[in-house]
Amino acid sequence: MPRRRQAVELPFVGTLDRAQGQLGRQLTVVLRAAIRAGELKPGDALPSTRHLASSLGISRGLVTDAFEQLIAEGFLEAQAGSGTRVSTTLSSVAPTAGETAPRRVKGKPTLPPRAAAFAEVARQFSPLPSVPFAVSVPVGPTAPDDTWRRVGNRTRGLRAAAPSGYDDPQGVAVLRAAIADYVRKSRSVHCSPAQVIITAGTQQGLYLACQVLLEPTDRVWVEEPAYRGITGILEAMGARERMVRVPVDEAGMDVDAGVRMADDARAAFVTPSHQYPLGMPLSMARRTALVAWARRHDAWIVEDDYDSELRYVGHPFPSLQGLAPDRVIYLGTFSKILFPSLRLGYVIVPEHLVASFCGARSLMDRHPPSADQHALAAFIAEGHLDRHIRRVRLVYADRRAYLIDIIARLIPPEHAWVQPGDQGMHLVLWLADTVRDETVAARALEQGVSVRAVSPMYADHGRPGLILGLGGYSNEQMERAVKTLAAIVAEQAGGKAARRRAH
């Protein structure tokens, strides 16, 4: 099929002043200035003289005269069959005397503080290249197999090719039912499909929880260190000073410390199955204490059930939601266990909060896209998700063991050591105090290795460390990446001994 000629729009020609007259000359000046200013690029196609004359309400002859003048000056070129274009050989030239390019405002406009905060979040959340050790990159054996494509094609074939109209902000019923059944069996979550709200992932669930549950003066508990996604939301809401960073130890969030620091907090944001980023689960004693605190103070617990599917030793703890369905907002996602671009997660809330969360969801993006919801519902209901998780768990366990081994072989313990843990999609590699983790991460990225720094996840840039995702990377890829990290860390350490033991 022949390629159709695409002419650019020329909004700037609307500035022609009919009262001034000489419209043909004005058109020549405006087009010349637009080319000089870069608003028209070399090779851009212009509308036909007939079309442009009609849109401007002037004679075709005036447009033809303007085009011919600019062709003579070398700004435009005309070829039989392809119309008139900006010259592809045009070089940058200065405006002629008496002619100026469109006026540009000097300097940058002043931005509100929240704009700067959002810009910093954008920098920290920029996606890393899909190379070791980017987290949640489904490559090789961890990628969904051909079953996902077949299920998707089948479910889409059962529906209109171009569905119209708005959908339910809560999500399609068949997926909510599949999720309710899945979390009941796998995570001991107590809920009905009517309590499930489909989201674009955990991040949107956290945002909804903050919008619905918190008033401007409320204090909240957040883990120390914490997932940057929740601290970024609270900072953007102006709640930086009301975030109470509750320390984490080997048993998870220290609830007693939280009570001492802010007994009157309105909500606690926790990752009890696999603390992010350090990896330990919240102990049963701490879970019981957290639920007791929430009941005593009419407070909420927001449970991000991060990496709960990937435990390599023993059985995972059941969900915190199962202990207190009336007090816990439960967040889950399929973005990590399947693939991040899927952008499907869920929030499970007490029945009396469903309408509030749906209302907040409506204001954000109306409702989630529907097609992949039907595909995911069938994928879960037919048992494919369970099989995929079992396969991925074996792959990650193997990659984890190999990664720990090559780190021990290639990086001296006085430079770096692995945080103990037995689950999840990543490892934390602690660094000696003399090493700046953000510098290491930046240098590693330049050399084709993707890692994230741990220190920004603390309130005041705490311990230096790196997050290493497991993924489906080959042994050869991981060994090359660890050698690169070892060289960068050794250079940063400067030969100074800084041995520590992680607890």
Short mmCIF file of all heavy atoms in Angstrom, two decimals, residues 99-124:
data_model
loop_
_atom_site.label_atom_id
_atom_site.label_comp_id
_atom_site.label_asym_id
_atom_site.label_seq_id
_atom_site.Cartn_x
_atom_site.Cartn_y
_atom_site.Cartn_z
N GLU A 99 13.58 40.91 10.88
CA GLU A 99 12.75 39.72 11.06
C GLU A 99 13.20 38.98 12.31
O GLU A 99 14.39 38.77 12.53
CB GLU A 99 12.91 38.80 9.85
CG GLU A 99 12.11 37.50 9.97
CD GLU A 99 12.40 36.59 8.79
OE1 GLU A 99 12.10 36.96 7.66
OE2 GLU A 99 12.96 35.50 9.03
N THR A 100 12.29 38.61 13.15
CA THR A 100 12.63 37.91 14.38
C THR A 100 11.85 36.62 14.46
O THR A 100 10.75 36.50 13.93
CB THR A 100 12.29 38.76 15.63
OG1 THR A 100 10.90 39.08 15.60
CG2 THR A 100 13.11 40.04 15.65
N ALA A 101 12.48 35.65 15.10
CA ALA A 101 11.78 34.39 15.33
C ALA A 101 10.71 34.60 16.39
O ALA A 101 10.72 35.61 17.10
CB ALA A 101 12.79 33.33 15.82
N PRO A 102 9.74 33.66 16.53
CA PRO A 102 8.72 33.80 17.56
C PRO A 102 9.34 34.03 18.92
O PRO A 102 10.34 33.42 19.28
CB PRO A 102 7.98 32.45 17.49
CG PRO A 102 8.18 32.00 16.08
CD PRO A 102 9.55 32.47 15.70
N ARG A 103 8.77 34.90 19.68
CA ARG A 103 9.31 35.31 20.98
C ARG A 103 9.31 34.14 21.96
O ARG A 103 8.37 33.39 22.05
CB ARG A 103 8.45 36.45 21.54
CG ARG A 103 8.93 36.99 22.89
CD ARG A 103 8.12 38.20 23.29
NE ARG A 103 8.51 38.69 24.59
CZ ARG A 103 7.92 38.30 25.72
NH1 ARG A 103 6.94 37.44 25.68
NH2 ARG A 103 8.32 38.78 26.89
N ARG A 104 10.41 33.98 22.66
CA ARG A 104 10.53 32.93 23.67
C ARG A 104 10.69 33.58 25.04
O ARG A 104 11.43 34.57 25.19
CB ARG A 104 11.75 32.04 23.40
CG ARG A 104 11.63 31.25 22.10
CD ARG A 104 10.68 30.07 22.29
NE ARG A 104 10.64 29.24 21.10
CZ ARG A 104 9.70 29.33 20.17
NH1 ARG A 104 8.74 30.23 20.30
NH2 ARG A 104 9.73 28.54 19.11
N VAL A 105 10.02 33.04 26.03
CA VAL A 105 10.14 33.57 27.38
C VAL A 105 11.45 33.10 27.98
O VAL A 105 11.78 31.92 27.94
CB VAL A 105 8.95 33.08 28.25
CG1 VAL A 105 9.12 33.60 29.68
CG2 VAL A 105 7.64 33.56 27.67
N LYS A 106 12.22 34.05 28.51
CA LYS A 106 13.51 33.71 29.10
C LYS A 106 13.33 33.16 30.51
O LYS A 106 12.47 33.61 31.25
CB LYS A 106 14.41 34.94 29.14
CG LYS A 106 14.81 35.45 27.76
CD LYS A 106 15.77 36.63 27.87
CE LYS A 106 16.22 37.10 26.49
NZ LYS A 106 17.16 38.23 26.59
N GLY A 107 14.19 32.21 30.86
CA GLY A 107 14.15 31.66 32.20
C GLY A 107 13.04 30.63 32.37
O GLY A 107 12.16 30.48 31.53
N LYS A 108 13.10 29.91 33.47
CA LYS A 108 12.10 28.89 33.77
C LYS A 108 11.08 29.44 34.76
O LYS A 108 11.43 30.19 35.67
CB LYS A 108 12.78 27.66 34.36
CG LYS A 108 13.71 26.94 33.39
CD LYS A 108 14.32 25.71 34.04
CE LYS A 108 15.24 24.98 33.08
NZ LYS A 108 15.85 23.79 33.71
N PRO A 109 9.81 29.05 34.61
CA PRO A 109 8.80 29.51 35.57
C PRO A 109 9.06 28.89 36.94
O PRO A 109 9.62 27.80 37.06
CB PRO A 109 7.49 29.00 34.98
CG PRO A 109 7.87 27.86 34.11
CD PRO A 109 9.22 28.20 33.55
N THR A 110 8.66 29.59 37.97
CA THR A 110 8.82 29.09 39.33
C THR A 110 7.82 27.97 39.57
O THR A 110 6.63 28.11 39.29
CB THR A 110 8.58 30.22 40.35
OG1 THR A 110 9.52 31.27 40.09
CG2 THR A 110 8.76 29.70 41.77
N LEU A 111 8.30 26.85 40.08
CA LEU A 111 7.45 25.70 40.33
C LEU A 111 7.12 25.60 41.82
O LEU A 111 7.95 25.92 42.67
CB LEU A 111 8.13 24.42 39.87
CG LEU A 111 8.43 24.31 38.37
CD1 LEU A 111 9.17 23.00 38.09
CD2 LEU A 111 7.16 24.38 37.56
N PRO A 112 5.94 25.10 42.16
CA PRO A 112 5.61 24.87 43.58
C PRO A 112 6.46 23.75 44.15
O PRO A 112 6.97 22.90 43.40
CB PRO A 112 4.13 24.49 43.54
CG PRO A 112 3.89 23.98 42.16
CD PRO A 112 4.82 24.75 41.27
N PRO A 113 6.63 23.71 45.46
CA PRO A 113 7.48 22.67 46.08
C PRO A 113 7.05 21.25 45.72
O PRO A 113 7.89 20.37 45.57
CB PRO A 113 7.32 22.95 47.59
CG PRO A 113 6.98 24.40 47.67
CD PRO A 113 6.15 24.70 46.46
N ARG A 114 5.74 21.01 45.59
CA ARG A 114 5.29 19.66 45.28
C ARG A 114 5.78 19.21 43.91
O ARG A 114 6.01 18.02 43.68
CB ARG A 114 3.77 19.58 45.35
CG ARG A 114 3.21 19.69 46.76
CD ARG A 114 1.71 19.54 46.79
NE ARG A 114 1.30 18.19 46.45
CZ ARG A 114 0.03 17.79 46.44
NH1 ARG A 114 -0.94 18.65 46.75
NH2 ARG A 114 -0.28 16.56 46.14
N ALA A 115 5.95 20.17 42.98
CA ALA A 115 6.45 19.82 41.66
C ALA A 115 7.86 19.26 41.76
O ALA A 115 8.21 18.28 41.09
CB ALA A 115 6.41 21.03 40.73
N ALA A 116 8.68 19.87 42.60
CA ALA A 116 10.05 19.38 42.79
C ALA A 116 10.04 17.99 43.44
O ALA A 116 10.85 17.12 43.08
CB ALA A 116 10.84 20.36 43.65
N ALA A 117 9.12 17.78 44.37
CA ALA A 117 9.03 16.47 45.04
C ALA A 117 8.64 15.39 44.03
O ALA A 117 9.20 14.29 44.03
CB ALA A 117 8.01 16.53 46.17
N PHE A 118 7.68 15.72 43.15
CA PHE A 118 7.28 14.74 42.14
C PHE A 118 8.42 14.46 41.16
O PHE A 118 8.61 13.34 40.71
CB PHE A 118 6.05 15.23 41.39
CG PHE A 118 4.75 15.05 42.14
CD1 PHE A 118 3.88 16.10 42.31
CD2 PHE A 118 4.42 13.82 42.66
CE1 PHE A 118 2.68 15.94 43.01
CE2 PHE A 118 3.23 13.63 43.36
CZ PHE A 118 2.36 14.69 43.53
N ALA A 119 9.18 15.49 40.81
CA ALA A 119 10.31 15.31 39.90
C ALA A 119 11.35 14.37 40.50
O ALA A 119 11.94 13.53 39.80
CB ALA A 119 10.94 16.65 39.56
N GLU A 120 11.58 14.48 41.80
CA GLU A 120 12.52 13.60 42.47
C GLU A 120 12.01 12.16 42.48
O GLU A 120 12.78 11.21 42.28
CB GLU A 120 12.78 14.08 43.91
CG GLU A 120 13.71 13.20 44.72
CD GLU A 120 15.11 13.11 44.14
OE1 GLU A 120 15.47 13.94 43.29
OE2 GLU A 120 15.85 12.18 44.55
N VAL A 121 10.72 11.99 42.70
CA VAL A 121 10.13 10.64 42.64
C VAL A 121 10.32 10.05 41.24
O VAL A 121 10.66 8.87 41.09
CB VAL A 121 8.63 10.69 43.01
CG1 VAL A 121 7.96 9.35 42.71
CG2 VAL A 121 8.47 11.02 44.50
N ALA A 122 10.09 10.87 40.21
CA ALA A 122 10.27 10.39 38.84
C ALA A 122 11.70 9.92 38.61
O ALA A 122 11.94 8.89 37.96
CB ALA A 122 9.92 11.49 37.85
N ARG A 123 12.67 10.65 39.17
CA ARG A 123 14.07 10.25 39.01
C ARG A 123 14.33 8.91 39.70
O ARG A 123 14.97 8.03 39.14
CB ARG A 123 14.98 11.33 39.59
CG ARG A 123 16.47 11.04 39.39
CD ARG A 123 17.33 12.01 40.18
NE ARG A 123 17.23 11.80 41.61
CZ ARG A 123 17.87 10.84 42.29
NH1 ARG A 123 18.65 9.99 41.64
NH2 ARG A 123 17.74 10.73 43.59
N GLN A 124 13.81 8.76 40.91
CA GLN A 124 14.07 7.55 41.68
C GLN A 124 13.33 6.33 41.12
O GLN A 124 13.77 5.20 41.30
CB GLN A 124 13.69 7.77 43.15
CG GLN A 124 14.57 8.80 43.84
CD GLN A 124 14.10 9.09 45.26
OE1 GLN A 124 13.00 8.71 45.66
NE2 GLN A 124 14.93 9.79 46.01
#
